[in-house]
Amino acid sequence: MEKYRLSLQERGMAIQYAELPWWKTGPIYQIYPRSFLDTNSDGVGDLEGIRRKLDYLQDLGVRGIWLSPIYPSPLYDFGYDITNYHDIDPVFGSLETFKLLVREAEARGISLIMDMVLNHTSHLHPWFIESRSSRDNPKRDWYIWKDGPRGPFGKGYPNNWMAAFGGHAWTWDKPTEQYYLHLFTEEQPDLNWRNPEVQEAMLAEMQFWLDLGVKGFRLDVINYLVKDAQFRNNPYHFRMTYPRRHDLQHHQFDRNQPETYEIVHRIRSLMDLYAGASEDTMLVGEVYPDEGVHAPDLAATYIGNGKDLLHLAFDFSTIYTSLTAADLHSVLQTWYGVLSPGAWPCHVLSNHDQSRAASRLCAGADNEAKKRVLAALLLTQRGTPFLYYGEEIGMEDGVIARKDLQDPLGKKYYPFHPGRDRSRTPMQWTGDSAAGFTEGKPWLPINRDFRKRNVEAQQRDPSSLLHWYRDLITLRQEEPALLDGSIEFFETGLQENVLAYVRRKAGSEVLVVLNVSGQTRPNPIRRGGTVLLSTHRKPQGTIEHDTRLAPWECTVYR
Ligand code: GLC
Ligand code: CA
C-alpha cells in the first residue's frame, strides 16, 4: 500500500498554539523512566537518558512529559512505593540532573509533570517507620490502624477490604498488635487523609516540585485517598476476571468518599497559586473504577467545571473498548457527554498498567494499518492526547518469561494475569544490540521485534508510523479546529465501521474519516474537500463526496 504524507514543516508553516495553556495543546508523553534510555550501563533508564532525547520529543511535537515515579523507592511496586517525596532515586540521577532536565525541556517548549503518589507511601518511609513504632507515636494516626474484631476463632480482619495486588488489605503488625491498611501491596501502607497533618505534609512535598519548575502532577489513584469513616464492608458483586478477590467487590467504601473532593480542591488551590496568568499548572487524575467497568461519569466528577478540582482525568473506557467504529464512537460520545461545559477532555490508549493498544486492539491481520487508525483517532479528538513511550513507533507488549517477571501483580497472579511488565519493556531506539537502550543488561527483556521496529529505522522511512504520528501532531497544532474546536460525529457510517466527524472552530471545518475495517467503504460524510493528511491520498488533492474509502483509510480534509 502506497503511503502519502503531507509535510507541513516542509511547507514552512509555523506552529500556532493559539492562546491555550500548554497542557491543552498536547500531546503529553508518558515516560516510564526505567525503560526510556540508560546512559550508565546499569540496565535501567535514567534522567540523563531522558535529557538526551529531548530533541527527539520536541521534534515529535510533544508539549509535556509525565514522568512515572523517580523518587527513592525500595521497588516493591517499581517506584509507586516512595520513601522520600522530595528527592530523586540515585538509580535515576540526582536533583541536579533533574533541574537540568526541567530547564532544557522548558527551552524546547516542553513542560514536566511528576507522578504524585498520595494514597500510600513505602513501608520504609520514615513516617511509617515512626507510625508503626508505637501506638502513641505522634505519627500513629498518619496511617490507618485498626484492631481486629475478636470472635470465637480469635481475631479477624477489621473488614472485608481486599488489596489490589492480592490478599486482604489489612496486615497485622505484631509489635503494636494492630492492623494497618494497604490497598496495594503490604509494603504500601495507606496514609490517613482525614488527618490534617498528612494533608499539610503532602502539599509541602508538591510545593517542593512546583518550586523547581514542575508544571503539574499526575495524581496516582486519586479517588482512593479517603476511606469510609466507619470502614464498612464493601458489597460483593460477581464478575468474570482472573482470580483476584479484590475484583469481586464493588469498591463502595474504600474509594470515592465525598471528602476526597475537598482534598482535591485543596491541591487545586495550591496549583492555582503557581499557575500564573496562563493557567500554567495542571493536575491529571488517575480515577480508577471497579476493574473492567466504564466509568467516565466518575472521572468527570473529579473535574467538575474544570475550575476547582482536577484539570484533567483519565477515562479508562478506551482501555476496555474494541476496535470498531461503533464502540469507539460510543466511548468517545459518552465521555464528551458526561463532562461539564467548562471541562476539558483528555484521551489515553496505553499506559504502564495496561496492555499496549498496539497489542490489545491491533493484533492480527493489518496490525500496522490499525495502529495508524488509532493514532489518527487519538490525535484528532477534542482534548489533550496522552501518548505512552513507544506508542509512536507501534511498540507492542513484550513476552516476559516467568523468571524475568518484575511486577508484583504479575508474580502474584502468574499465569492467570500476565502482569504489567509487558508494557514496560525498554524503548526501541535502534536495531543494535539491546535496541540502543543500554550497553548493560536491560532490567526487562527487549521486545523481539526491535531490529525491525525502532526509532532510527522509522526516522529514515517517510512512510513510517513515527512520521504519521509526527504529521498528525503537527496538523493538530496548526489547525485551530483540531486544537480546540467542537466535535460532531456522523452516525451514518457506524454500521459500516466508518468513524467520521467534523471539528469546527470559527468558521473553519476539518473533517475526519476513519475506515475502521479492512474493507472498502463509502465515505459517510458525503461531502468533498481538500486533503490535509491521509494514509491513502495525496495532500492538497481532493476527496470526492462519493469517494470510497480504502481499507483502514484515514483521511483528514477540509
Ligand atoms: C496506580 C499506578 C500503578 C500502581 C498503583 C499503586 O494504579 O498506575 O502503577 O501500581 O497505582 O500506586
Ligand atoms: Ca542507568
Side-chain angles (χ1 to χ4, degrees), residues 321-495:
T321 191
S322 67
L323 189 67
T324 63
D327 269 18
L328 295 169
H329 169 259
S330 137
V331 160
L332 292 164
Q333 187 77 312
T334 310
W335 182 216
Y336 295 134
V338 295
L339 291 169
S340 327
W344 182 265
C346 67
H347 304 278
V348 59
L349 294 173
S350 293
N351 67 29
H352 64 292
D353 291 330
Q354 307 292 340
S355 162
R356 286 177 178 270
S359 296
R360 197 177 70 240
L361 297 174
C362 304
D366 301 333
N367 91 325
E368 294 301 311
K370 291 174 188 168
K371 291 176 190 174
R372 282 168 202 258
V373 174
L374 281 184
L377 177 77
L378 182 69
L379 293 162
T380 57
Q381 286 303 304
R382 185 164 82 76
T384 299
F386 279 78
L387 295 179
Y388 184 51
Y389 81 95
E391 193 166 339
E392 72 277 21
I393 55 167
M395 264 177 70
E396 298 183 357
D397 289 345
V399 181
I400 316 286
R402 183 171 198 177
K403 67 170 181 26
D404 293 325
L405 286 180
Q406 303 278 345
D407 175 32
L409 184 70
K411 287 182 180 171
K412 171 87 189 178
Y413 289 104
Y414 184 89
F416 299 104
H417 190 285
R420 299 171 296 173
D421 296 314
R422 59 183 171 172
S423 57
R424 300 174 178 178
T425 61
M427 179 71 172
Q428 294 161 213
W429 294 107
T430 69
D432 304 337
S433 71
F437 163 72
T438 182
E439 286 172 7
K441 182 179 182 307
W443 78 286
L444 275 177
I446 311 276
N447 288 358
R448 282 185 223 132
D449 64 355
F450 79 94
R451 291 202 195 272
K452 274 201 339 256
R453 185 185 307 289
N454 60 66
V455 170
E456 199 176 66
Q458 295 201 15
Q459 275 173 332
R460 274 198 308 264
D461 172 9
S463 71
S464 67
L465 187 66
L466 178 60
H467 279 265
W468 177 241
Y469 267 91
R470 197 197 286 144
D471 291 344
L472 282 162
I473 293 169
T474 309
L475 181 65
R476 184 178 180 279
Q477 286 161 342
E478 286 174 352
E479 287 293 335
L482 289 179
L483 202 52
D484 68 337
S486 62
I487 189 164
E488 193 188 322
F489 290 93
F490 289 82
E491 299 191 5
T492 43
L494 293 179
Q495 286 214 330

Side-chain angles (χ1 to χ4, degrees), residues 30 32 66 68-69 76-81 115-120 164-165 183-185 188 218-222 224 286 288 316 351-354 407-409 420 424:
Q30 180 190 356
Y32 196 73
W66 147 25
S68 281
Y76 287 88
D77 188 17
F78 286 89
Y80 287 90
D81 51 321
D115 209 317
M116 221 347 112
V117 186
L118 300 174
N119 179 68
H120 46 268
F165 298 154
L183 296 182
F184 294 90
T185 67
Q188 293 166 293
R218 176 263 187 186
L219 299 175
D220 191 64
V221 291
I222 188 64
Y224 289 33
E286 182 197 32
Y288 216 83
F316 292 119
N351 67 29
H352 64 292
D353 291 330
Q354 307 292 340
D407 175 32
L409 184 70
R420 299 171 296 173
R424 300 174 178 178

Side-chain angles (χ1 to χ4, degrees), residues 249-363:
Q249 298 186 348
H250 167 47
H251 292 274
Q252 186 177 346
F253 295 115
D254 52 353
R255 297 179 196 171
N256 302 313
Q257 301 305 300
E259 295 85 351
T260 308
Y261 297 86
E262 291 164 26
I263 290 163
V264 172
H265 176 62
R266 267 196 91 175
I267 301 173
R268 173 59 183 264
S269 307
L270 173 65
M271 291 302 127
D272 288 347
L273 285 181
Y274 284 80
S278 50
E279 280 190 88
D280 218 11
T281 50
M282 183 273 275
L283 295 172
V284 53
E286 182 197 32
V287 177
Y288 216 83
D290 285 346
E291 190 68 21
V293 168
H294 290 217
D297 43 347
L298 177 68
T301 63
Y302 285 89
I303 309 177
N305 66 6
K307 302 267 178 288
D308 305 318
L309 298 170
L310 302 177
H311 302 79
L312 304 173
F314 294 124
D315 166 26
F316 292 119
S317 307
T318 42
I319 300 275
Y320 306 123
T321 191
S322 67
L323 189 67
T324 63
D327 269 18
L328 295 169
H329 169 259
S330 137
V331 160
L332 292 164
Q333 187 77 312
T334 310
W335 182 216
Y336 295 134
V338 295
L339 291 169
S340 327
W344 182 265
C346 67
H347 304 278
V348 59
L349 294 173
S350 293
N351 67 29
H352 64 292
D353 291 330
Q354 307 292 340
S355 162
R356 286 177 178 270
S359 296
R360 197 177 70 240
L361 297 174
C362 304

Side-chain angles (χ1 to χ4, degrees), residues 37-46 91:
L37 179 64
D38 171 27
T39 59
N40 63 351
S41 310
D42 63 357
V44 178
D46 41 56
V91 80

